[in-house]
Amino acid sequence: MKRWIIAASLMALAAASHAADYLEHGERTKGRSYSPAVVTEGGRIVWLAGETAITDLAGKDIKGDFEAQTRTIFALIDQTLKRAGGSLKDVVSLTTYLTDARNGATFAKVRTEMFPDRNFPASAQITVSNLAVPGMQIEIHAIAVIGDKCSKANPCIPR
């Protein structure tokens, strides 16, 4: 009986964990890979530390490889969120630091792949001169809300 209750609780959490209400883009920002705003109500907030990577998940050196670093960072964020009971789908805000503004288009491409349902986090992208370790080209800081009650079916944004 106890296992059944735990399993039912986990299924309910999983069903509700990907909820948030995403503000539609206006004409100026249509087609961009971020949301102008994400509205949540309730849920558990997870504040993630800034994540960087100079080796991929297999331990291969990826210093200087912007796309590999970006993909690895998103994988690490997803791993952390899974430990907290969520996933990338629960991310509502990203602050991204790039050492080269020319990598912005590559970042947007990867971010679009990471959020295939197009429910993009609200985002800021900042160019900096350096990060903590030579060869690092990107750092991503994320905030997630797990188990929020807002969704397309239950909107929190007045329509």
Side-chain angles (χ1 to χ4, degrees), residues 13 21 23 37 54-55 86 91 102 107 113-114 120 129 136 144 146 148 150 155-156 158:
L13 177 61
D21 203 359
L23 189 66
I54 53 172
T55 58
V91 174
R102 293 173 291 190
F107 177 68
E113 293 171 21
M114 296 298 118
F120 299 113
S129 59
M136 283 180 179
I146 300 170
D148 187 74
C150 299
C156 292

Side-chain angles (χ1 to χ4, degrees), residues 68-133:
Q69 287 183 25
T70 303
R71 290 182 185 284
T72 300
I73 291 167
F74 274 118
L76 292 168
I77 290 170
D78 193 47
Q79 285 179 359
T80 300
L81 287 170
K82 283 183 174 151
R83 289 175 45 210
S87 72
L88 278 180
K89 289 184 176 186
D90 297 305
V91 174
V92 296
S93 180
L94 291 176
T95 303
T96 305
Y97 303 92
L98 310 177
T99 59
D100 187 338
R102 293 173 291 190
N103 286 325
T106 301
F107 177 68
K109 176 188 83 131
V110 173
R111 182 174 50 195
T112 299
E113 293 171 21
M114 296 298 118
F115 300 94
D117 59 3
R118 302 195 61 78
N119 287 331
F120 299 113
S123 299
Q125 185 172 300
I126 303 161
T127 304
V128 296
S129 59
N130 289 300
L131 292 168
V133 174

